[in-house]
Amino acid sequence: MKKNYNYNELVRFYNRSRKKLSNLLALGKNEYKQDILKRRISRLFQLLTGMQTQLKLSTATFALTAGFILFQPNAANAQSFPTKLSNPFGLANTAGQWSTPTFVDLDNDGDKDVMAGDVNGDFFYYQNIGTASVPSFTASATNAYGLTNTGDGYACPSFVDLDNDGDKDMISSGYAGDIFYYQNTGSATAPAFAAMVTNPFGITTVTNGYGYGAFTDLDNDGDQDLMVGNFDGNFFYYQNTGTASAPAFAAPVMNTFGLTANLTAGYGTVAFTDLDSDGDKDMWSGDSGAFAYYLNTGTASAPAFGAPTSNPFSLTNLTNAGASPVFADLDNDGDQDMLTGISTGALFYAENTFGTGISTANIIAGVSIYPNPTTDNVTLKLDNTSEIMSVEVINALGQSSFYKRNQ
């Protein structure tokens, strides 16, 4: 049993080492430590593959590791956005410049629609009439479902169920830094937005304007908090001290949780996504054409953001100013893709090409795994002579996602 225990411990050590290397590569830091980790990973790989041939299935406790490869010596070890496409899937420029998109399933049909603001303060709704895997967007509808112009320009929509009634409400920002709230008085399948309310629930005007905001539950207390970027590239955190049904926002705190200003060119847009699948929300910001990634090294309840990394994961600057990234799994392949607007009004899509699967290097004889690769269920089949004491599935980040031991 000691031999089996050591094998599984080495698998976990291997995956932890790969995760550390991935983070260092993404941040572009500490080349000396990167080299140490690469050599360690190489030795572990050779040791594990050798142990696999020695272990007998009748007594083996083994791990099936998604993406079990040696290492990828680039910043896209986990994610990769190598190509940006202008206005794919039927999308088109907003009527005005400075498009700022966001994803939302407004018609509740299981796929992602797009809402985008523009420099004039209007909103453009692109309904997805395709599927969750193959999107196809209609021509945009201006200020649909009762929405109205902000009257302040530079609209930047974001959706959240602020009153906890099962449908998505909308907020937007404006040039002067005010936050505009459009309550959804309709339903999850037939939205209808009430008249705009300026700075509700205790929200105050964002210093120096251009209040590009996004909601997420940063303190993990069950309600939605607000983070807003401004013209200077600073970030203002409005903690929700109310409830999921009755929000109340505290006075804003600038650049909390270790955040630093996105100073490449200001215009601190905000988007949250758990790109590394570690259970907490990382933050992205856009500026004059570049992307800044703030890795959350804290927890779901106590965030701590690292220094911004410019254009990680094979991203490159947009030709025009105004990057405003948002994320969703647009092709339903299990990872987060990116959509961003620019100053011309165009919408750019970057598919995340991070692959998933269980490599043949870590499959023991007598065991069949299918389908492979997969983004959903996987079947483990043994031959008639095989007996396994336990099975553990570990993802490419070294996290255990399934464990079962035979009794």
Side-chain angles (χ1 to χ4, degrees):
M1 294 302 295
K2 184 178 179 180
K3 189 175 187 179
N4 300 333
Y5 173 81
N6 285 341
Y7 175 81
N8 285 278
E9 285 301 303
L10 287 174
V11 169
R12 293 186 179 91
F13 188 41
Y14 173 90
N15 281 282
R16 286 196 297 268
S17 299
R18 285 190 60 219
K19 184 178 180 181
K20 290 178 182 178
L21 177 60
S22 175
N23 290 337
L24 288 176
L25 288 167
L27 295 171
K29 289 185 176 181
N30 204 332
E31 292 184 0
Y32 174 74
K33 192 170 183 180
Q34 288 180 31
D35 289 336
I36 293 175
L37 286 168
K38 289 176 183 178
R39 290 195 294 270
R40 178 190 298 167
I41 291 167
S42 179
R43 290 195 300 270
L44 286 168
F45 180 86
Q46 294 173 4
L47 179 60
L48 286 167
T49 52
M51 290 178 70
Q52 286 174 346
T53 62
Q54 298 172 16
L55 290 172
K56 295 181 180 180
L57 283 173
S58 59
T59 59
T61 300
F62 68 97
L64 301 174
T65 306
F68 188 53
I69 54 177
L70 185 57
F71 59 83
Q72 299 174 356
N74 57 64
N77 190 40
Q79 321 290 325
S80 183
F81 303 92
T83 305
K84 293 187 288 292
L85 302 176
S86 178
N87 294 339
F89 314 123
L91 291 169
N93 285 29
T94 55
Q97 297 180 333
W98 297 93
S99 55
T100 53
T102 191
F103 289 108
V104 61
D105 184 6
L106 266 185
D107 51 5
N108 201 32
D109 64 349
D111 54 42
K112 295 295 185 182
D113 310 307
V114 171
M115 185 77 76
D118 78 349
V119 69
N120 299 319
D122 288 314
F123 303 99
F124 300 86
Y125 173 60
Y126 303 82
Q127 184 183 12
N128 188 348
I129 57 174
T131 67
S133 302
V134 185
S136 176
F137 296 96
T138 62
S140 63
T142 306
N143 298 330
Y145 303 120
L147 291 170
T148 56
N149 187 291
T150 63
D152 195 25
Y154 291 91
C156 183
S158 179
F159 287 89
V160 64
D161 185 7
L162 268 184
D163 51 7
N164 200 31
D165 64 350
D167 54 43
K168 296 292 186 182
D169 310 303
M170 192 184 87
I171 69 143
S172 179
S173 57
Y175 180 82
D178 290 318
I179 301 297
F180 306 108
Y181 171 60
Y182 299 82
Q183 183 184 11
N184 188 348
T185 57
S187 66
T189 55
F193 293 99
M196 179 185 76
V197 178
T198 303
N199 295 333
F201 313 121
I203 294 173
T204 55
T205 303
V206 179
T207 305
N208 288 348
Y210 289 91
Y212 295 92
F215 284 96
T216 194
D217 185 6
L218 269 181
D219 51 7
N220 201 32
D221 64 349
D223 54 44
Q224 295 292 305
D225 309 301
L226 175 64
M227 186 76 75
V228 183
N230 76 347
F231 179 82
D232 299 325
N234 290 305
F235 304 104
F236 297 84
Y237 171 60
Y238 295 79
Q239 183 184 13
N240 188 347
T241 57
T243 67
S245 303
F249 293 94
V253 180
M254 187 174 77
N255 296 338
T256 187
F257 307 123
L259 287 170
T260 54
N262 183 9
L263 295 177
T264 307
Y267 307 103
T269 67
V270 176
F272 290 99
T273 184
D274 185 9
L275 204 61
D276 53 1
S277 299
D278 64 348
D280 55 45
K281 293 298 177 71
D282 309 306
M283 196 180 91
W284 287 76
S285 180
D287 54 28
S288 65
F291 305 93
Y293 173 57
Y294 295 80
L295 176 67
N296 188 349
T297 58
T299 67
S301 302
F305 294 98
T309 304
S310 182
N311 293 340
F313 312 124
S314 300
L315 285 167
T316 56
N317 276 33
L318 293 163
T319 304
N320 300 86
S324 52
V326 290
F327 295 85
D329 186 4
L330 203 57
D331 52 6
N332 200 32
D333 65 349
D335 54 39
Q336 296 290 298
D337 309 302
M338 186 180 76
L339 187 69
T340 185
I342 61 172
S343 60
T344 65
L347 301 170
F348 277 81
Y349 168 67
E351 181 187 358
N352 189 345
T353 59
F354 172 45
T356 59
I358 301 174
S359 80
T360 56
N362 199 41
I363 298 175
I364 303 175
V367 180
S368 301
I369 296 176
Y370 58 88
N372 184 27
T374 181
T375 59
D376 194 2
N377 297 323
V378 63
T379 298
L380 173 69
K381 183 179 180 181
L382 310 179
D383 62 24
N384 294 332
T385 62
S386 301
E387 180 183 355
I388 291 180
M389 295 179 63
S390 65
V391 173
E392 184 171 15
V393 178
I394 302 173
N395 66 22
L397 298 172
Q399 302 161 336
S400 179
S401 56
F402 174 83
Y403 178 81
K404 183 174 179 61
R405 182 178 181 86
N406 289 338
Q407 301 298 322

